[in-house]
Amino acid sequence: AQKVTQAQTEISVVEKEDVTLDCVYETRDTTYYLFWYKQPPSGELVFLIRRNSFDEQNEISGRYSWNFQKSTSSFNFTITASQVVDSAVYFCALSGIYNQGGKLIFGQGTELSVKP
Amino acid sequence: DTAVSQTPKYLVTQMGNDKSIKCEQNLGHDTMYWYKQDSKKFLKIMFSYNNKELIINETVPNRFSPKSPDKAHLNLHINSLELGDSAVYFCASSHIKGSLSTDTQYFGPGTRLTVL
């Protein structure tokens, strides 16, 4: 069975702090994709990143960075120098690659509140 | 240039009524999905269609019937609405190449359904 766990339900930080959102996954597939989505207060789901299970290189995009560690089945997301606009619910998700029809398995989400 | 659009954005109705939510994508994708987000923000897949063919049906009650008139549209019809159907429903689309689910899913803005 596939499962994604985001143990942090809510995180509150002050602007300019760095914050890391944890994501741990379970799958029996050897090939899979991991995703992060952002859901701001306006409610839409915004795609942030997709990683292939074969590619364990860390990724950086501006203030965002992702650390994928297959050995610990984790795909953590760090926001550097957080801003109020980063306040949102962040979802980690998992998708098997073969014969699964594209189903995304989501974690419970982490609500990040960045205070000025 | 909206990529994935849904109508209506809000839907308030009485128990027992029948209602539909429409979804359209202009990304040229071959696969479309419906997800349900409950009051605790948990996201779960309901259906997916690939080239107008149903490929995922996640034990959703028969009162929910998706219909895909073409690759760009996936509508969700709900009969005999119940209080527990109150949720946000998201449409999404992506490419699936053969049996591979390799592409990112892009989500519509969501439809907030309230059943009174």
PDB file of all heavy atoms in Angstrom, chain A residues 27-47:
ATOM      1  N   THR A  27       5.971   3.078  -0.080  1.00  0.00           N
ATOM      2  CA  THR A  27       5.549   2.464  -1.326  1.00  0.00           C
ATOM      3  C   THR A  27       6.349   1.209  -1.571  1.00  0.00           C
ATOM      4  O   THR A  27       7.520   1.135  -1.165  1.00  0.00           O
ATOM      5  CB  THR A  27       5.697   3.439  -2.515  1.00  0.00           C
ATOM      6  OG1 THR A  27       5.260   2.797  -3.706  1.00  0.00           O
ATOM      7  CG2 THR A  27       7.139   3.895  -2.693  1.00  0.00           C
ATOM      8  N   ARG A  28       5.759   0.256  -2.253  1.00  0.00           N
ATOM      9  CA  ARG A  28       6.493  -0.955  -2.649  1.00  0.00           C
ATOM     10  C   ARG A  28       7.044  -0.811  -4.064  1.00  0.00           C
ATOM     11  O   ARG A  28       7.826  -1.636  -4.510  1.00  0.00           O
ATOM     12  CB  ARG A  28       5.578  -2.169  -2.588  1.00  0.00           C
ATOM     13  CG  ARG A  28       5.188  -2.538  -1.183  1.00  0.00           C
ATOM     14  CD  ARG A  28       4.311  -3.771  -1.165  1.00  0.00           C
ATOM     15  NE  ARG A  28       3.836  -4.036   0.194  1.00  0.00           N
ATOM     16  CZ  ARG A  28       2.823  -4.825   0.487  1.00  0.00           C
ATOM     17  NH1 ARG A  28       2.177  -5.431  -0.483  1.00  0.00           N
ATOM     18  NH2 ARG A  28       2.459  -5.020   1.731  1.00  0.00           N
ATOM     19  N   ASP A  29       6.610   0.247  -4.747  1.00  0.00           N
ATOM     20  CA  ASP A  29       7.114   0.473  -6.097  1.00  0.00           C
ATOM     21  C   ASP A  29       8.588   0.850  -6.032  1.00  0.00           C
ATOM     22  O   ASP A  29       9.035   1.522  -5.094  1.00  0.00           O
ATOM     23  CB  ASP A  29       6.349   1.610  -6.772  1.00  0.00           C
ATOM     24  CG  ASP A  29       4.906   1.240  -7.044  1.00  0.00           C
ATOM     25  OD1 ASP A  29       4.599   0.031  -7.070  1.00  0.00           O
ATOM     26  OD2 ASP A  29       4.096   2.161  -7.246  1.00  0.00           O
ATOM     27  N   THR A  30       9.326   0.439  -7.038  1.00  0.00           N
ATOM     28  CA  THR A  30      10.722   0.857  -7.121  1.00  0.00           C
ATOM     29  C   THR A  30      10.835   2.129  -7.952  1.00  0.00           C
ATOM     30  O   THR A  30      11.837   2.838  -7.886  1.00  0.00           O
ATOM     31  CB  THR A  30      11.591  -0.240  -7.765  1.00  0.00           C
ATOM     32  OG1 THR A  30      11.003  -0.595  -9.017  1.00  0.00           O
ATOM     33  CG2 THR A  30      11.650  -1.456  -6.859  1.00  0.00           C
ATOM     34  N   THR A  31       9.801   2.400  -8.718  1.00  0.00           N
ATOM     35  CA  THR A  31       9.781   3.605  -9.552  1.00  0.00           C
ATOM     36  C   THR A  31       8.532   4.399  -9.211  1.00  0.00           C
ATOM     37  O   THR A  31       7.422   3.856  -9.271  1.00  0.00           O
ATOM     38  CB  THR A  31       9.763   3.214 -11.048  1.00  0.00           C
ATOM     39  OG1 THR A  31      10.856   2.350 -11.317  1.00  0.00           O
ATOM     40  CG2 THR A  31       9.872   4.469 -11.899  1.00  0.00           C
ATOM     41  N   TYR A  32       8.718   5.647  -8.891  1.00  0.00           N
ATOM     42  CA  TYR A  32       7.582   6.466  -8.473  1.00  0.00           C
ATOM     43  C   TYR A  32       7.956   7.936  -8.592  1.00  0.00           C
ATOM     44  O   TYR A  32       9.108   8.285  -8.833  1.00  0.00           O
ATOM     45  CB  TYR A  32       7.153   6.139  -7.034  1.00  0.00           C
ATOM     46  CG  TYR A  32       8.301   6.127  -6.041  1.00  0.00           C
ATOM     47  CD1 TYR A  32       8.703   7.277  -5.375  1.00  0.00           C
ATOM     48  CD2 TYR A  32       8.996   4.932  -5.790  1.00  0.00           C
ATOM     49  CE1 TYR A  32       9.757   7.255  -4.489  1.00  0.00           C
ATOM     50  CE2 TYR A  32      10.055   4.904  -4.905  1.00  0.00           C
ATOM     51  CZ  TYR A  32      10.437   6.064  -4.253  1.00  0.00           C
ATOM     52  OH  TYR A  32      11.490   6.039  -3.377  1.00  0.00           O
ATOM     53  N   TYR A  33       6.943   8.791  -8.442  1.00  0.00           N
ATOM     54  CA  TYR A  33       7.158  10.233  -8.430  1.00  0.00           C
ATOM     55  C   TYR A  33       6.675  10.815  -7.112  1.00  0.00           C
ATOM     56  O   TYR A  33       5.700  10.330  -6.524  1.00  0.00           O
ATOM     57  CB  TYR A  33       6.374  10.914  -9.562  1.00  0.00           C
ATOM     58  CG  TYR A  33       7.045  10.840 -10.908  1.00  0.00           C
ATOM     59  CD1 TYR A  33       6.665   9.900 -11.854  1.00  0.00           C
ATOM     60  CD2 TYR A  33       8.076  11.715 -11.235  1.00  0.00           C
ATOM     61  CE1 TYR A  33       7.282   9.839 -13.090  1.00  0.00           C
ATOM     62  CE2 TYR A  33       8.693  11.658 -12.467  1.00  0.00           C
ATOM     63  CZ  TYR A  33       8.291  10.712 -13.380  1.00  0.00           C
ATOM     64  OH  TYR A  33       8.911  10.658 -14.598  1.00  0.00           O
ATOM     65  N   LEU A  34       7.354  11.863  -6.694  1.00  0.00           N
ATOM     66  CA  LEU A  34       6.950  12.617  -5.504  1.00  0.00           C
ATOM     67  C   LEU A  34       6.679  14.060  -5.905  1.00  0.00           C
ATOM     68  O   LEU A  34       7.341  14.603  -6.796  1.00  0.00           O
ATOM     69  CB  LEU A  34       8.056  12.578  -4.445  1.00  0.00           C
ATOM     70  CG  LEU A  34       8.303  11.193  -3.846  1.00  0.00           C
ATOM     71  CD1 LEU A  34       9.643  11.144  -3.156  1.00  0.00           C
ATOM     72  CD2 LEU A  34       7.190  10.820  -2.889  1.00  0.00           C
ATOM     73  N   PHE A  35       5.711  14.654  -5.258  1.00  0.00           N
ATOM     74  CA  PHE A  35       5.270  16.005  -5.606  1.00  0.00           C
ATOM     75  C   PHE A  35       5.084  16.837  -4.340  1.00  0.00           C
ATOM     76  O   PHE A  35       4.830  16.311  -3.255  1.00  0.00           O
ATOM     77  CB  PHE A  35       3.899  15.973  -6.308  1.00  0.00           C
ATOM     78  CG  PHE A  35       3.840  15.157  -7.566  1.00  0.00           C
ATOM     79  CD1 PHE A  35       3.719  13.773  -7.511  1.00  0.00           C
ATOM     80  CD2 PHE A  35       3.877  15.770  -8.802  1.00  0.00           C
ATOM     81  CE1 PHE A  35       3.646  13.013  -8.681  1.00  0.00           C
ATOM     82  CE2 PHE A  35       3.796  15.034  -9.967  1.00  0.00           C
ATOM     83  CZ  PHE A  35       3.683  13.648  -9.904  1.00  0.00           C
ATOM     84  N   TRP A  36       5.169  18.150  -4.544  1.00  0.00           N
ATOM     85  CA  TRP A  36       4.693  19.103  -3.547  1.00  0.00           C
ATOM     86  C   TRP A  36       3.731  20.060  -4.245  1.00  0.00           C
ATOM     87  O   TRP A  36       4.004  20.543  -5.358  1.00  0.00           O
ATOM     88  CB  TRP A  36       5.836  19.907  -2.925  1.00  0.00           C
ATOM     89  CG  TRP A  36       6.527  19.186  -1.809  1.00  0.00           C
ATOM     90  CD1 TRP A  36       7.632  18.396  -1.894  1.00  0.00           C
ATOM     91  CD2 TRP A  36       6.151  19.194  -0.424  1.00  0.00           C
ATOM     92  NE1 TRP A  36       7.967  17.915  -0.649  1.00  0.00           N
ATOM     93  CE2 TRP A  36       7.082  18.385   0.267  1.00  0.00           C
ATOM     94  CE3 TRP A  36       5.133  19.810   0.300  1.00  0.00           C
ATOM     95  CZ2 TRP A  36       7.016  18.171   1.645  1.00  0.00           C
ATOM     96  CZ3 TRP A  36       5.068  19.603   1.664  1.00  0.00           C
ATOM     97  CH2 TRP A  36       6.007  18.800   2.329  1.00  0.00           C
ATOM     98  N   TYR A  37       2.604  20.307  -3.549  1.00  0.00           N
ATOM     99  CA  TYR A  37       1.622  21.282  -4.001  1.00  0.00           C
ATOM    100  C   TYR A  37       1.383  22.282  -2.883  1.00  0.00           C
ATOM    101  O   TYR A  37       1.470  21.954  -1.702  1.00  0.00           O
ATOM    102  CB  TYR A  37       0.280  20.619  -4.345  1.00  0.00           C
ATOM    103  CG  TYR A  37       0.264  19.850  -5.642  1.00  0.00           C
ATOM    104  CD1 TYR A  37       0.668  18.518  -5.695  1.00  0.00           C
ATOM    105  CD2 TYR A  37      -0.193  20.453  -6.811  1.00  0.00           C
ATOM    106  CE1 TYR A  37       0.645  17.811  -6.892  1.00  0.00           C
ATOM    107  CE2 TYR A  37      -0.230  19.751  -8.015  1.00  0.00           C
ATOM    108  CZ  TYR A  37       0.185  18.436  -8.041  1.00  0.00           C
ATOM    109  OH  TYR A  37       0.154  17.743  -9.219  1.00  0.00           O
ATOM    110  N   LYS A  38       1.048  23.494  -3.289  1.00  0.00           N
ATOM    111  CA  LYS A  38       0.739  24.567  -2.339  1.00  0.00           C
ATOM    112  C   LYS A  38      -0.731  24.953  -2.482  1.00  0.00           C
ATOM    113  O   LYS A  38      -1.234  25.096  -3.608  1.00  0.00           O
ATOM    114  CB  LYS A  38       1.614  25.791  -2.645  1.00  0.00           C
ATOM    115  CG  LYS A  38       1.303  27.042  -1.836  1.00  0.00           C
ATOM    116  CD  LYS A  38       2.199  28.203  -2.267  1.00  0.00           C
ATOM    117  CE  LYS A  38       1.894  29.472  -1.478  1.00  0.00           C
ATOM    118  NZ  LYS A  38       2.764  30.608  -1.880  1.00  0.00           N
ATOM    119  N   GLN A  39      -1.429  25.098  -1.356  1.00  0.00           N
ATOM    120  CA  GLN A  39      -2.815  25.554  -1.391  1.00  0.00           C
ATOM    121  C   GLN A  39      -2.910  26.833  -0.557  1.00  0.00           C
ATOM    122  O   GLN A  39      -3.024  26.795   0.664  1.00  0.00           O
ATOM    123  CB  GLN A  39      -3.779  24.491  -0.842  1.00  0.00           C
ATOM    124  CG  GLN A  39      -5.239  24.877  -1.025  1.00  0.00           C
ATOM    125  CD  GLN A  39      -6.199  23.766  -0.651  1.00  0.00           C
ATOM    126  OE1 GLN A  39      -5.979  23.025   0.313  1.00  0.00           O
ATOM    127  NE2 GLN A  39      -7.264  23.626  -1.408  1.00  0.00           N
ATOM    128  N   PRO A  40      -2.850  27.990  -1.225  1.00  0.00           N
ATOM    129  CA  PRO A  40      -2.955  29.262  -0.494  1.00  0.00           C
ATOM    130  C   PRO A  40      -4.376  29.456   0.024  1.00  0.00           C
ATOM    131  O   PRO A  40      -5.280  28.684  -0.323  1.00  0.00           O
ATOM    132  CB  PRO A  40      -2.589  30.303  -1.554  1.00  0.00           C
ATOM    133  CG  PRO A  40      -2.859  29.643  -2.854  1.00  0.00           C
ATOM    134  CD  PRO A  40      -2.687  28.168  -2.654  1.00  0.00           C
ATOM    135  N   PRO A  41      -4.590  30.485   0.840  1.00  0.00           N
ATOM    136  CA  PRO A  41      -5.938  30.726   1.396  1.00  0.00           C
ATOM    137  C   PRO A  41      -7.020  30.873   0.328  1.00  0.00           C
ATOM    138  O   PRO A  41      -8.187  30.609   0.602  1.00  0.00           O
ATOM    139  CB  PRO A  41      -5.749  32.020   2.183  1.00  0.00           C
ATOM    140  CG  PRO A  41      -4.309  32.017   2.566  1.00  0.00           C
ATOM    141  CD  PRO A  41      -3.588  31.373   1.421  1.00  0.00           C
ATOM    142  N   SER A  42      -6.647  31.247  -0.882  1.00  0.00           N
ATOM    143  CA  SER A  42      -7.640  31.381  -1.952  1.00  0.00           C
ATOM    144  C   SER A  42      -8.158  30.030  -2.429  1.00  0.00           C
ATOM    145  O   SER A  42      -9.170  29.965  -3.124  1.00  0.00           O
ATOM    146  CB  SER A  42      -7.041  32.154  -3.131  1.00  0.00           C
ATOM    147  OG  SER A  42      -5.774  31.620  -3.460  1.00  0.00           O
ATOM    148  N   GLY A  43      -7.482  28.949  -2.062  1.00  0.00           N
ATOM    149  CA  GLY A  43      -8.036  27.613  -2.259  1.00  0.00           C
ATOM    150  C   GLY A  43      -7.538  26.795  -3.426  1.00  0.00           C
ATOM    151  O   GLY A  43      -7.771  25.586  -3.464  1.00  0.00           O
ATOM    152  N   GLU A  44      -6.881  27.390  -4.396  1.00  0.00           N
ATOM    153  CA  GLU A  44      -6.432  26.584  -5.537  1.00  0.00           C
ATOM    154  C   GLU A  44      -5.227  25.731  -5.152  1.00  0.00           C
ATOM    155  O   GLU A  44      -4.551  26.007  -4.162  1.00  0.00           O
ATOM    156  CB  GLU A  44      -6.110  27.473  -6.743  1.00  0.00           C
ATOM    157  CG  GLU A  44      -4.858  28.323  -6.585  1.00  0.00           C
ATOM    158  CD  GLU A  44      -5.101  29.655  -5.914  1.00  0.00           C
ATOM    159  OE1 GLU A  44      -6.106  29.782  -5.169  1.00  0.00           O
ATOM    160  OE2 GLU A  44      -4.285  30.564  -6.134  1.00  0.00           O
ATOM    161  N   LEU A  45      -4.958  24.714  -5.927  1.00  0.00           N
ATOM    162  CA  LEU A  45      -3.798  23.838  -5.702  1.00  0.00           C
ATOM    163  C   LEU A  45      -2.734  24.179  -6.741  1.00  0.00           C
ATOM    164  O   LEU A  45      -2.951  24.038  -7.938  1.00  0.00           O
ATOM    165  CB  LEU A  45      -4.199  22.375  -5.837  1.00  0.00           C
ATOM    166  CG  LEU A  45      -4.919  21.785  -4.635  1.00  0.00           C
ATOM    167  CD1 LEU A  45      -5.634  20.506  -5.018  1.00  0.00           C
ATOM    168  CD2 LEU A  45      -3.947  21.524  -3.493  1.00  0.00           C
ATOM    169  N   VAL A  46      -1.578  24.582  -6.255  1.00  0.00           N
ATOM    170  CA  VAL A  46      -0.514  25.046  -7.137  1.00  0.00           C
ATOM    171  C   VAL A  46       0.632  24.038  -7.116  1.00  0.00           C
ATOM    172  O   VAL A  46       1.173  23.717  -6.055  1.00  0.00           O
ATOM    173  CB  VAL A  46      -0.001  26.434  -6.695  1.00  0.00           C
ATOM    174  CG1 VAL A  46       1.126  26.900  -7.607  1.00  0.00           C
ATOM    175  CG2 VAL A  46      -1.137  27.447  -6.670  1.00  0.00           C
ATOM    176  N   PHE A  47       0.999  23.553  -8.272  1.00  0.00           N
ATOM    177  CA  PHE A  47       2.098  22.602  -8.401  1.00  0.00           C
ATOM    178  C   PHE A  47       3.419  23.308  -8.098  1.00  0.00           C
ATOM    179  O   PHE A  47       3.690  24.394  -8.600  1.00  0.00           O
ATOM    180  CB  PHE A  47       2.112  22.030  -9.817  1.00  0.00           C
ATOM    181  CG  PHE A  47       3.382  21.321 -10.194  1.00  0.00           C
ATOM    182  CD1 PHE A  47       3.679  20.091  -9.650  1.00  0.00           C
ATOM    183  CD2 PHE A  47       4.272  21.892 -11.094  1.00  0.00           C
ATOM    184  CE1 PHE A  47       4.852  19.429  -9.997  1.00  0.00           C
ATOM    185  CE2 PHE A  47       5.438  21.239 -11.442  1.00  0.00           C
ATOM    186  CZ  PHE A  47       5.733  20.001 -10.893  1.00  0.00           C
TER     187      PHE A  47
END
